Amino acid sequence: MAPPIKLALIYGSAREGRFCDTVARWAAAQIESRPEFSLHTIDPAALDLARDGETLRRRIGQADAFVVVTPEYNHSFPAPLKALIDSAYHEWQAKPVGFVSYGGISGGLRAVEQLRLVFAELHAVGLRDTVSFANAHQQFGADGTPLDGQGATRAMATLLSRLAWWALALREAREARPYEGAAA
Ligand SMILES: Cc1cc2nc3c(=O)[nH]c(=O)nc-3n(C[C@H](O)[C@H](O)[C@H](O)COP(=O)(O)O)c2cc1C
């Protein structure tokens, strides 16, 4: 059997009192229920990006795949998430990224569409599938699980299956030949 896929779950919000904790906790539980993944978290609120850049780059470099949990701020993604992304370059290359988004009526989808452009520039592969929570604050019960648990769990299962496909395909490809050479 292939070694587990190292999946880094990235928090998009660093705000005090953030709703991100609720959504990320749910996403983490979905990932942990799948034996093909080993889960790591990267949280901009727990990092001083100016000081911890090397640690962050190492953690991104060690990951085979990413799930970004992002809210929408003024029709885009939060600035701390961009600072986190911009702290690394080669470490993102030829790796897949899945998105879990939340927000108001748009469910954070405008943030995701913009993130696709950013990750394309970094030679990362953005997955088509997204799990999105519109009016997110009303979508989760007091126990932190989505009210439409079945729909959300099904959407996340699809995202994770495709993320695993890309993660294994790209890991094998990176091992067979360095991506940098192919990018010249
Ligand atoms: C500065 C700011 C801007 C926001 N802009 C949008 C927006 O453009 N569209 C939207 O759907 N929600 C918007 N919201 C609502 C957030 O998506 C919602 O509050 C979410 O919980 C924020 O994530 P967080 O609590 O994890 O930081 C905004 C919230 C903040 C704080």
Side-chain angles (χ1 to χ4, degrees):
M1 214 177 88
I5 297 162
K6 291 184 192 143
L7 197 166
L9 181 73
I10 298 177
Y11 286 60
S13 171
R15 213 171 54 84
E16 212 178 318
R18 63 189 179 182
F19 194 67
C20 197
D21 287 316
T22 300
V23 183
R25 211 173 293 127
W26 172 80
Q30 306 300 306
I31 295 162
E32 282 176 324
S33 74
R34 308 268 299 226
E36 68 266 50
F37 295 111
S38 74
L39 176 66
H40 308 260
T41 57
I42 300 180
D43 181 353
L47 291 163
D48 175 346
L49 290 179
R51 268 209 348 246
D52 303 336
E54 205 170 305
T55 306
L56 178 61
R57 277 191 292 281
R58 196 175 56 248
R59 288 166 69 184
I60 293 170
Q62 285 168 348
D64 296 311
F66 306 94
V67 169
V68 176
V69 179
T70 186
E72 182 168 307
Y73 286 2
N74 297 320
H75 291 203
S76 186
F77 45 79
L81 176 59
K82 183 63 159 54
L84 186 157
I85 294 168
D86 291 344
S87 295
Y89 182 65
H90 298 96
E91 294 84 356
W92 295 109
Q93 289 185 349
K95 296 179 182 176
V97 186
F99 302 101
V100 175
S101 68
Y102 59 99
I105 192 83
S106 74
L109 290 172
R110 288 175 290 220
V112 170
E113 291 305 300
Q114 295 190 26
L115 281 170
R116 293 184 186 286
L117 301 177
V118 174
F119 280 112
E121 178 60 18
L122 290 162
H123 304 250
V125 179
L127 260 66
R128 181 258 185 203
D129 302 275
T130 305
V131 179
S132 164
F133 295 98
N135 300 316
H137 294 241
Q138 286 106 62
Q139 293 300 322
F140 283 78
D143 63 353
T145 61
L147 300 179
D148 175 20
Q150 264 193 356
T153 301
R154 209 178 312 120
M156 189 68 179
T158 302
L159 184 151
L160 290 176
S161 293
R162 294 196 170 130
L163 190 70
W165 190 92
W166 279 104
L168 291 174
L170 292 176
R171 185 168 73 189
E172 285 166 19
R174 289 194 310 276
E175 283 166 4
R177 68 195 74 82
Y179 178 73
E180 278 299 345

